[in-house]
Amino acid sequence: MLPDGLLRDLASRSPAELGELLAARPDAARPGTGSLEDLAEALLSRAGLRRALDALSRPELDAVERAVLLGPPEDPAARLLAGPPWDRLHRLGLVHRDDDALRLVPGLAEALGRYPAGLGRPRPVLAALAARLRGGAPDAAGAAALPRTAEDLAQWPAPAREVLERFRSRPVGALPDALRRVDPAVDAGARPVDWLLAHGILLPVDSRHVELPREVGLLLRGPDPWAATSPEPPVGPALRVPDRLRDNAAAAAVEQLLRRTAALRAELRARPLTTLRAGGIGVRELRRLRSALGIEHSELVRLLGLGELAGLVRLDPDTSAWRPAPAPFEDAERADQWWHVVRSWLASDVVPSAVGLPLADGTVVGVLTRGTHAPEAPVVRRALLAAHAELAERAPGGHGPEDVLALARWRRPRLARALDRWGPGMLTEAAELGLVGADALTEPGRALAEDRPEDAVRSVAGWLPAPSRTVLLQSDLTATATGHLAPDVARALDRLAEPEGHGPVPRHRFSERSLHRALDAGWTPPSILAWLEEHGRGPVPQALAYLVEEAGRGHGRIRITRADWVLTGEEELLEALAGSPDLAGRRLRRPAPGVLVVDAGEEAPGRRRGPAGRESGLRELAAAVRATGTEPALDVAPAEPAPQAPAADPTLLLEVPAPRLPVPSAEEIEDLVDRLTGRDRARCPPEDPPDDPAEDLIDDPTDSGGAAPWDP
């Protein structure tokens, strides 16, 4: 049953206060909410209360824990709500006014968890549990042995007090055979744990664990365990970081991230990353990929994790191999590429830097496994960005990871364990994404912390130079880009030459093999030279021009086309090929002059069947043609297709992880406030009734024999 005081409190709030409440508690902005009763039910849901508690700072959480354990304060509600922390607790709907008193909403104590403030459960609860486990009645004598004051506790034997000190920060401890019965006359100096068990100070909760009652825990911590908490956030001294140094470091990180992502996708397109039967990626595959990309192991695992969470690399369920997503990520503007990766990072539960962290079973988190998934990851990332932004506001300059984590723990104490586990790695990821540069928050990072994504993308676009359309051609048959290449120029260069190196700008090397590959795809020597003249700086080197002409001169005199195998070309060459021993045993047909059909030969003994056999036959046939002194042209790829107009935003074809808790828009919150306050009915009054109600009748579905007049 909903408390009347909470309903009256909600009804007394202004539309602006209701809007502030719904913005702070987005879980309560449900589509079906149409009354204050519905809103109260949503506010009191267990999941909603936990999310609200997770948003409290250290002083606010201390106030809630103190009220749960010691009772709410006695001051009138009006005076309490005038200052922190109770004003914020009231705005969040965690407390409400009730006859000039302040009351916690129902269910708040349960939402805090079993051990609020790190204290155990009350002694009667633990005594009843211990009695059930031991099969007897609760020990009434143990309650009398509990200390009433800190002075009583100080009179206990020193060894027993030393054992209790271990329970100061946590109420549960491991103890083998915790259910054993102990003689009350046991010596406290020799066996202090047994002495505490015998006097009911430590009570068993199962066969291997004991718990310290809440009453003793409060005495250990003093009369007010929360008095030592500082009301001010911890802000360490700032490091002097010039803006130019910060921006240069962040811009270099963004350039490197986008370049490595493109190289990763290209490598996985050529050689997918296979998985182990037990899951994850083997050491040999990681070593191969690390060598191909030229990066360190820790950088590689974070790059793979970012590719996974951004949907740029995906696990193929048919082959159990990681392949690049087919969406044209490289065709998007570079600032849009960055924004896709960053917004996926903010919303995803994948933590790339979690690889190598220990697990409960003694193993460590593997690459591209479920161990890198953490449901609290989006909340932790937002908390770290908010802490960085607050530090930059209070003390401009750079701040080390420890300062950021300390402030984040103070702002979100219930996330302390997640911050300790994931926080250091996430700050490294933020630096690789350009949100932090030289330990200082960048303008894109500040914009994202303040929920201004358009400004973040605009700032990153200002860092990145315009795409280049020229390459530097040299006599050693290499082509070096003068910057990041435009997508169409990069694709053409990849077709004409082999990538070489992993520097900040692309570098390619021309070879006879790469040119033959381009000729197979429909290029011609004149079109290759024309492209080099258009996109090369200066004249085409003579050595490169000779290589193009030589590759074209020996290419295509015989052309292989799949049918079974269809060879076309000069008739005398085809006749010489037909009589070669390499084609012995294959059925040959000559349907026309200059045309030779070779059977694939899969039915022959010892030959493989299926696609693998056909590929093997193609290689054998090409080797036979080369034995005649000519280079075959392979019709295994279509001619260069007409370029298609790229999508307005290729990143729209990539999936972004959906948020676990959708955040309502400002318009949705305003509409909900209008429904709760009746302002929607005020803006849309009912139509005026007709002059003669008797002339406008409606049928009454419950009464077939009569009609009822319209009632305004």
Side-chain angles (χ1 to χ4, degrees):
M1 184 176 179
L2 297 175
D4 294 336
L6 176 60
L7 295 176
R8 289 194 297 270
D9 183 278
L10 293 176
S12 67
R13 301 194 184 207
S14 66
E17 291 173 337
L18 284 176
E20 186 179 6
L21 170 63
L22 292 171
R25 299 280 301 273
D27 54 285
R30 299 174 178 175
T33 301
S35 64
L36 293 178
E37 288 78 6
D38 297 337
L39 176 60
E41 289 182 358
L43 292 173
L44 297 182
S45 67
R46 191 178 186 87
L49 288 175
R50 285 182 174 177
R51 281 191 286 266
L53 289 171
D54 289 344
L56 298 182
S57 65
R58 182 76 266 174
E60 294 161 355
L61 183 62
D62 285 353
V64 173
E65 291 175 341
R66 182 190 287 111
V68 167
L69 297 176
L70 305 180
E74 299 295 336
D75 293 346
R79 184 168 54 188
L80 281 171
L81 295 179
W86 296 101
D87 54 347
R88 174 163 161 77
L89 296 177
H90 180 256
R91 290 198 302 270
L92 288 174
L94 299 179
V95 298
H96 65 88
R97 301 184 185 92
D98 189 9
D99 298 331
D100 287 335
L102 203 63
R103 301 189 186 278
L104 303 177
V105 298
L108 190 59
E110 292 77 8
L112 277 174
R114 178 175 291 182
Y115 306 115
L119 294 170
R121 288 167 285 183
R123 205 247 175 219
V125 176
L126 294 177
L129 175 60
R132 288 197 302 271
L133 293 173
R134 289 170 170 164
D139 184 11
L146 284 177
R148 305 299 178 187
T149 63
E151 289 74 14
D152 295 341
L153 190 61
Q155 301 300 321
W156 284 6
R161 294 200 307 272
E162 292 177 3
V163 172
L164 290 182
E165 283 297 322
R166 304 177 187 177
F167 292 85
R168 180 179 289 273
S169 59
R170 57 182 183 274
V172 178
L175 179 65
D177 193 17
L179 296 176
R180 65 181 182 270
R181 295 187 180 276
V182 184
D183 185 2
V186 65
D187 183 10
R191 302 172 64 183
V193 174
D194 287 349
W195 187 87
L196 292 171
L197 282 173
H199 288 77
I201 307 303
L202 292 179
L203 293 165
V205 292
D206 58 34
S207 61
R208 299 182 59 85
H209 294 88
V210 293
E211 185 172 329
L212 183 71
R214 179 178 299 174
E215 296 84 348
V216 183
L218 285 171
L219 291 179
L220 282 176
R221 298 191 183 185
D224 189 355
W226 301 273
T229 302
S230 172
E232 295 297 326
V235 179
L239 306 174
R240 185 178 179 277
V241 179
D243 293 348
R244 183 183 296 273
L245 174 62
R246 176 200 64 193
D247 292 344
N248 287 344
V254 172
E255 285 269 9
Q256 181 173 266
L257 169 70
L258 299 181
R259 174 170 48 84
R260 286 179 171 178
T261 300
L264 172 66
R265 283 168 54 85
E267 178 65 24
L268 295 186
R269 193 175 292 113
R271 291 186 294 177
L273 195 62
T274 58
T275 58
L276 302 172
R277 289 185 178 181
I281 309 299
V283 175
R284 183 178 301 176
E285 281 288 270
L286 289 176
R287 187 182 299 119
R288 185 262 298 177
L289 190 57
R290 186 179 63 190
S291 176
L293 298 180
I295 59 179
E296 297 297 327
H297 176 77
S298 58
E299 298 172 332
L300 174 61
V301 298
R302 287 196 298 271
L303 183 65
L304 285 171
L306 287 174
E308 178 194 8
L309 67 85
L312 301 178
V313 296
R314 296 177 179 174
L315 181 63
D316 186 349
D318 297 328
T319 61
S320 295
W322 289 89
R323 303 176 183 272
F329 177 75
E330 289 76 12
D331 290 341
E333 296 291 337
R334 303 187 77 201
D336 294 334
Q337 294 178 3
W338 172 85
W339 172 233
H340 172 75
V341 176
V342 169
R343 64 177 174 172
S344 300
W345 179 75
L346 289 172
S348 175
D349 62 355
V350 175
V351 184
S353 56
V355 175
L357 293 180
L359 294 172
D361 59 0
T363 61
V364 297
V365 177
V367 182
L368 298 176
T369 60
R370 292 296 304 175
T372 60
H373 292 241
E376 64 273 19
V379 182
V380 174
R381 292 186 180 111
R382 289 289 184 181
L384 292 173
L385 282 180
H388 240 308
E390 183 175 350
L391 286 173
E393 183 70 24
R394 291 176 176 268
H399 295 273
E402 283 304 320
D403 290 341
V404 178
L405 288 172
L407 180 57
R409 293 188 201 100
W410 191 89
R411 284 293 178 196
R412 308 292 291 272
R414 283 172 61 89
L415 295 179
R417 293 182 62 183
L419 285 166
D420 291 340
R421 182 169 177 81
W422 315 117
M426 287 181 177
L427 290 175
T428 302
E429 297 167 12
E432 293 178 339
L433 292 170
L435 305 178
V436 177
D439 285 337
L441 189 68
T442 62
E443 287 302 321
R446 186 192 302 271
L448 291 179
E450 298 172 356
D451 198 18
R452 295 184 286 110
E454 296 84 2
D455 295 341
V457 176
R458 194 158 37 246
S459 297
V460 171
W463 291 344
L464 302 174
S468 173
R469 301 191 63 83
T470 59
V471 294
L472 179 63
L473 302 175
Q474 295 180 312
S475 299
D476 61 352
L477 305 181
T478 60
T480 304
T482 56
H484 169 71
L485 290 176
D488 59 329
V489 178
R491 283 194 296 268
L493 189 59
D494 286 340
R495 179 76 73 176
L496 295 171
E498 300 287 351
E500 187 177 76
H502 301 282
V505 293
R507 178 184 172 90
H508 290 69
R509 181 174 295 277
F510 295 93
S511 65
E512 189 173 1
R513 177 182 176 183
S514 68
L515 293 173
H516 283 160
R517 184 179 66 235
L519 293 169
D520 287 341
W523 291 72
T524 62
S527 66
I528 294 176
L529 291 174
W531 188 92
L532 294 175
E533 291 174 356
E534 178 184 357
H535 297 284
R537 284 195 170 184
V540 179
Q542 191 174 26
L544 180 56
Y546 284 163
L547 180 65
V548 174
E549 293 172 358
E550 185 64 26
R553 185 177 298 114
H555 183 274
R557 297 175 66 189
I558 294 180
R559 181 168 295 275
I560 301 176
T561 304
R562 278 191 196 191
D564 279 329
W565 301 114
V566 179
L567 286 73
T568 61
E570 300 176 12
E571 188 172 355
E572 62 274 12
L573 287 176
L574 291 176
E575 289 299 327
L577 181 62
S580 67
D582 294 317
L583 298 185
R586 293 181 181 268
R587 187 162 59 92
L588 305 178
R589 289 173 289 161
R590 299 173 177 80
V595 179
L596 179 66
V597 177
V598 182
D599 187 81
E602 292 183 3
E603 70 283 353
R607 285 202 172 97
R608 292 181 292 176
R609 298 180 179 271
R614 292 182 62 82
E615 292 297 332
S616 176
L618 176 61
R619 288 194 296 269
E620 294 173 3
L621 187 57
V625 174
R626 292 189 183 97
T628 65
T630 184
E631 178 68 25
L634 305 179
D635 280 350
V636 296
E640 191 73 13
Q644 298 180 355
D649 184 4
T651 56
L652 294 178
L653 301 177
L654 293 166
E655 297 180 3
V656 178
R660 290 181 175 269
L661 180 62
V663 178
S665 63
E667 292 78 9
E668 292 173 333
I669 290 178
E670 184 178 0
D671 291 342
L672 180 53
V673 171
D674 290 344
R675 291 201 305 271
L676 295 174
T677 58
R679 291 196 301 181
D680 55 343
R681 294 189 297 273
R683 285 201 300 262
C684 301
E687 298 179 359
D688 294 334
D691 294 336
D692 187 3
E695 295 179 0
D696 190 2
L697 304 179
I698 59 172
D699 294 335
D700 184 359
T702 62
D703 183 7
S704 60
W710 183 82
D711 186 4

